[in-house]
Amino acid sequence: MALLKAVRAGSRSGAVTLIGPDDANTTLLRTELARYEPTIALGDPVQDAVAAVEITGASSATQAPVALILLDAGSALGGDTLRALRRLHRSGTHLILAMNGIHAHQDWRSVLELDRASLTAAGLGELEILPVSGRLAVAGRSTGDPGLIDRAGLGALHARLTAAATGADTVDAERAAAITARVIAETRARVEDQVRQLSSGAEPGRLREERARLLAGRDGGRTTALSTLRGQLHLARVDLLTEAGSRVRALHASARAELDRLRRREFRDYPERLQHAVTELTGQVDAEIEQRSAELTHRAGELLTHGVGEPSTHGVGEPLTHRVGELSPAEPTPYRRRDPAPRVGAEPDPRHRGVEDHLMIALGASAGVGLGRLLVSPLSLVPALEVASVPVTLLLGAGAAAWVVRARGQVADRNHVRQWMSEALVNVKAQLEQRVTTALVEIETALSDRVVRASAAAMVETDRRVAELEVRLRRMAAEQPGQLAACRRDIDCLDRRDSSVN
């Protein structure tokens, strides 16, 4: 409307001082503004707002100087810029503020509110800030999307500049008619596009599709997450129990080999050595449990991140995974057991002597006597030494009997300790398996609780979003007839205006 008023007034736009950074966004903005009629003469960008005061002061006395100030969409107004704006305003300069580059900053609306508050505090509350983007204008023009061109804001900025920067030269009737016809054609195209959108029912269909998708995943992925988690826990239980059994068997083999190398006097310290080995084994099993717990926690976090909800790009709300307090893969693992290591039990009882020991004494003495007789048999050939061979034979028999009894006792003691060690490791294995099972039950309880809490929050959020969609669907159904009627009235009005121009 500002453009049509400027054309109706029979004027051509004059020069406008451009105050802003000399970068790619500014260049693209000037290029896109040059496509509009009438052409706005924008000078080279003046990056120093203070120096712009003298530049605008040199404008023609027949017209108030006009300055286009480009603000950054990524940062709020500074004190120097506000002081320069006050000086320009007091000098009578017509100020037009535009926030350039909104396509590159998602939080530009927050920056816009801060800039408006700063202008109000500086006594410049009557100045309006127009959000613009040359990049959006290029995208809308290349795709033929009138809505995207409108969101670029260049049409509103050009109309504002045209209304402000008017010169004394008149515009010929043919050029004015051409500009008016172009404005009417573009407006009619936008209205017809709106009619097509309302008549096609694409927007309600898209909202219904999103509502169906939300309802299909209303449980927040709890069923899938719990099922997958239980499968992972079962696999972890099998792996950990197998690994614990394998480690106990390896310890049993090494303990048997060590026991075979020990002397009889070292049997007394063997239970302490075995307990030390069991403590080290328990630490290794605990480390494996913690590692598997970390993997399960990470897996549960991935399930929740990808299964609780999918991001929505339809403006109903932010992605659900950004709202629900789901389990993060970096969250501490739920397993922190530090129970004492299993005990191997009391020391083995002393071995009691039985019939086998007495039998070995008799066999040893008999073998010793026979060996002694064999050794002293040459002495019997000498009659004087035959009597002396008897004590030698007895001594040799006693020594052999003592050695046999001692060797048999050592073998029996080793077998006794080996039997005790085997029974102790069987008990240790049972305790380690119980340790693994208890730890996995605790992990399953903790992770299931987190999954249930996250999915419950997801269900609440899904219900809220479904309610929003239903409200929007009802509002669309109620407003569609009125919007179609308004669009048809606008088209009739534009047709009448086009006929009068022609």
Side-chain angles (χ1 to χ4, degrees), residues 328-358:
S328 171
E331 189 171 339
T333 59
Y335 178 73
R336 282 293 180 269
R337 288 180 61 91
R338 285 296 181 266
D339 292 345
R343 307 299 300 176
V344 296
E347 296 183 0
D349 297 332
R351 186 178 63 86
H352 300 286
R353 295 181 180 271
V355 179
E356 296 85 356
D357 297 283
H358 300 296

Side-chain angles (χ1 to χ4, degrees), residues 81 218 429:
T81 305
R218 184 178 176 275
K429 180 182 178 183

Side-chain angles (χ1 to χ4, degrees), residues 312-388:
S312 173
T313 58
H314 304 312
V316 178
E318 60 186 86
L320 184 57
T321 53
H322 295 168
R323 298 184 180 186
V324 178
E326 71 271 8
L327 179 63
S328 171
E331 189 171 339
T333 59
Y335 178 73
R336 282 293 180 269
R337 288 180 61 91
R338 285 296 181 266
D339 292 345
R343 307 299 300 176
V344 296
E347 296 183 0
D349 297 332
R351 186 178 63 86
H352 300 286
R353 295 181 180 271
V355 179
E356 296 85 356
D357 297 283
H358 300 296
L359 180 60
M360 291 306 299
I361 293 174
L363 292 176
S366 175
V369 172
L371 180 61
R373 292 291 296 174
L374 179 63
L375 292 176
V376 300
S377 58
L379 298 178
S380 62
L381 298 176
V382 182
L385 298 178
E386 184 177 0
V387 178

Side-chain angles (χ1 to χ4, degrees), residues 159-226:
R160 189 70 56 84
L161 291 172
T162 302
T166 55
D169 298 336
T170 59
V171 179
D172 57 82
E174 182 178 355
R175 186 177 183 185
I179 294 174
T180 304
R182 177 180 176 181
V183 171
I184 293 175
E186 291 179 353
T187 305
R188 181 186 177 90
R190 289 187 177 91
V191 176
E192 290 177 346
D193 182 68
Q194 182 69 14
V195 170
R196 285 192 297 270
Q197 292 182 2
L198 292 173
S199 301
S200 64
E203 183 67 13
R206 180 183 58 77
L207 294 180
R208 292 189 186 96
E209 181 180 354
E210 183 176 0
R211 182 182 61 181
R213 180 180 59 82
L214 290 174
L215 291 176
R218 184 178 176 275
D219 67 341
R222 177 170 59 185
T223 303
T224 302
L226 288 178

